[in-house]
Amino acid sequence: MNKDFKISVVIPTFNEVSNIGMLVSKALPILENYAEYEMIFIDDGSTDGSLAVLKRLHELNENIKYVSFSRNFGHQMALRAGIDYATGDCIITMDADLQHPPEMIPGFVEKWMEGYEIVYTVREESDDETYFKKISSSFFYQVIKFVTDIPIEKGAADFRLIDRKVADYIIQLKEKDLFLRGVIPWLGFKQYRIDYTPAVRYSGKTKYSLKKMLTLAATGITSFSTKPLYMSAFLGFLMVGISAFYGLYALFQHLFNHNVITGWASIIIFTSLIGGIQLMMIGVIGIYLGKIFQEMKGRPGYVIQDYAGFVRGKQVFSNSEKYNYRNHNKGYKGIN
Ligand code: UDP
Ligand code: MG
């Protein structure tokens, strides 16, 4: 088997001090079977000493590299930075908490060598997950399915292999509000699906707070669809239609039935209903407007305070710089 290629493993890490060592000790024996590899940890503003562990690991093994954010920029941005910095022929993204078993890496690589440009995973239900997480994630995928035209599969995880070609397209995406689970199916390419049952989190608690989950859900929906905006217009028309009928009815009562004291309940119901729908729709429009505002400012999606294992660590490589950098480093095994 021709193994003359480089594998990059990208690991977003937010306060995972008790998991990093275990992950490295499980992944290294697997990665060392390949000609070249690098493990890139993206320290997403950890405050628990994860960075110190990463520094130590880099001293011991120069293939273990890190990029450290100046604060918490979120899981998706960490993935993005890892893809920006990775120089492998294929890039595997996985969590730091061992829920994504490193033992699956050779299977990914095999499929990649067969010609699949994306090998993605879909998680099967695991008993370890809380009831709330199961329900909320299922609801999330239902909503996504309803409002977007992108086939995002239920249980899609950020545990996947992408080919260099795919990574180069992701690097070119300008959007800061990245939702990789949508971007990957949107990109197309030959994709291979692997089902897996996530392992139990090795140590620590989930870093996905309810707030982060809701933000991810809103990002997912509004990054891939403008349908909610159309729904807002549609609902508006519907309400106008209903009110027109109700208006006719009220007028009829007013003209021909002088005794009734009607309207109190219906006024309350209609005003609150319409008020609610208006607020909801203004909110939807606000989310899109906010996104335009964020993208307009053109700020970098992440800020790096420290890194190791890279020739130079500018915040974000421009595309031409990235290509030069990669070409320049061809043949310098292990330095970049
Ligand atoms: N993570 C991150 N930044 C964040 C939240 C999470 O880099 O703001 C990392 C985290 O360290 C882990 C991965 O993203 O490696 C997935 O997070 P977690 O395991 O907490 O999510 P869950 O598996 O519970 O959905
Ligand atoms: Mg996890």
Side-chain angles (χ1 to χ4, degrees), residues 55 60 171 177 219 230 248 287 290:
K55 282 185 175 162
L60 295 171
I171 293 164
D177 211 358
T219 303
Y230 292 101
L248 282 177
I287 293 177

Side-chain angles (χ1 to χ4, degrees), residues 297-312:
K297 283 189 290 189
R299 289 188 187 155
Y302 53 82
V303 176
I304 290 167
Q305 55 140 356
D306 192 12
Y307 63 90
F310 303 94
V311 173
R312 65 201 174 96

Side-chain angles (χ1 to χ4, degrees), residues 7-300:
I7 298 184
S8 299
V9 182
V10 165
I11 307 143
T13 309
F14 179 44
N15 292 341
E16 304 282 10
V17 72
S18 48
N19 291 320
I20 297 168
M22 191 62 182
L23 175 64
V24 167
S25 68
K26 284 204 165 179
L28 277 192
I30 296 165
L31 293 171
E32 275 163 354
N33 289 324
Y34 299 99
E36 253 195 288
Y37 72 90
E38 62 182 356
M39 278 182 99
I40 306 176
F41 285 89
I42 311 297
D43 165 37
D44 187 12
S46 300
T47 51
D48 67 344
S50 291
L51 183 58
V53 175
L54 293 176
K55 282 185 175 162
R56 183 88 196 98
L57 286 168
H58 175 68
E59 278 164 20
L60 295 171
N61 180 343
E62 63 177 6
N63 294 321
I64 301 176
K65 308 172 180 184
Y66 64 81
V67 172
S68 176
F69 287 175
S70 59
R71 63 168 169 84
N72 182 258
F73 279 90
H75 182 206
Q76 297 294 307
M77 267 307 137
L79 287 169
R80 169 73 198 246
I83 294 170
D84 284 344
Y85 273 76
T87 54
D89 299 293
C90 67
I91 299 168
I92 295 166
T93 53
M94 64 193 298
D95 287 358
D97 58 3
L98 288 135
Q99 283 193 286
H100 298 160
E103 296 77 27
M104 286 174 67
I105 291 175
F108 287 12
V109 175
E110 229 164 77
K111 284 290 158 199
W112 173 64
M113 289 175 73
E114 279 175 25
Y116 291 96
E117 282 122 347
I118 295 173
V119 184
Y120 69 99
T121 59
V122 169
R123 29 166 213 274
E124 283 163 354
E125 292 254 303
S126 95
D127 296 334
D128 177 48
E129 281 169 31
T130 62
Y131 194 61
F132 174 72
K133 183 131 192 170
K134 272 184 202 163
I135 298 268
S136 59
S137 113
S138 159
F139 179 71
F140 169 61
Y141 286 103
Q142 289 295 329
V143 173
I144 287 261
K145 202 169 154 190
F146 180 67
V147 298
T148 71
D149 300 321
I150 302 292
I152 301 172
E153 287 176 62
K154 180 173 182 287
D158 286 313
F159 181 30
R160 65 173 83 79
L161 177 148
I162 57 175
D163 184 78
R164 180 78 255 160
K165 271 185 280 187
V166 181
D168 285 343
Y169 273 101
I170 293 175
I171 293 164
Q172 284 177 40
L173 297 176
K174 291 198 184 68
E175 60 205 84
K176 305 290 171 323
D177 211 358
L178 193 66
F179 183 62
L180 272 174
R181 281 170 222 185
V183 165
I184 296 284
W186 175 83
L187 278 168
F189 286 108
K190 278 202 295 296
Q191 309 209 359
Y192 188 84
R193 169 184 166 151
I194 294 180
D195 290 356
Y196 80 109
T197 313
V200 180
R201 195 174 226 285
Y202 180 66
S203 166
K205 281 200 307 243
T206 177
K207 304 301 177 311
Y208 258 95
S209 57
L210 180 62
K211 193 175 146 211
K212 278 188 177 160
M213 273 204 279
L214 289 176
T215 311
L216 184 73
T219 303
I221 291 163
T222 53
S223 300
F224 280 91
S225 172
T226 43
K227 264 193 204 170
L229 291 176
Y230 292 101
M231 269 159 50
S232 134
F234 173 75
L235 264 174
F237 278 117
L238 192 72
M239 285 312 296
V240 169
I242 293 173
S243 330
F245 274 111
Y246 190 70
L248 282 177
Y249 166 76
L251 191 67
F252 182 82
Q253 292 287 330
H254 175 72
L255 291 177
F256 302 108
N257 190 355
H258 296 287
N259 298 329
V260 286
I261 308 168
T262 50
W264 185 80
S266 45
I267 284 174
I268 297 289
I269 292 166
F270 265 78
T271 30
S272 55
L273 184 67
I274 292 173
I277 289 176
Q278 279 175 338
L279 273 184
M280 191 173 91
M281 292 313 164
I282 290 171
V284 170
I285 294 166
I287 293 177
Y288 283 100
L289 198 67
K291 281 180 97 119
I292 296 170
F293 175 63
Q294 293 295 347
E295 300 288 338
M296 269 278 302
K297 283 189 290 189
R299 289 188 187 155

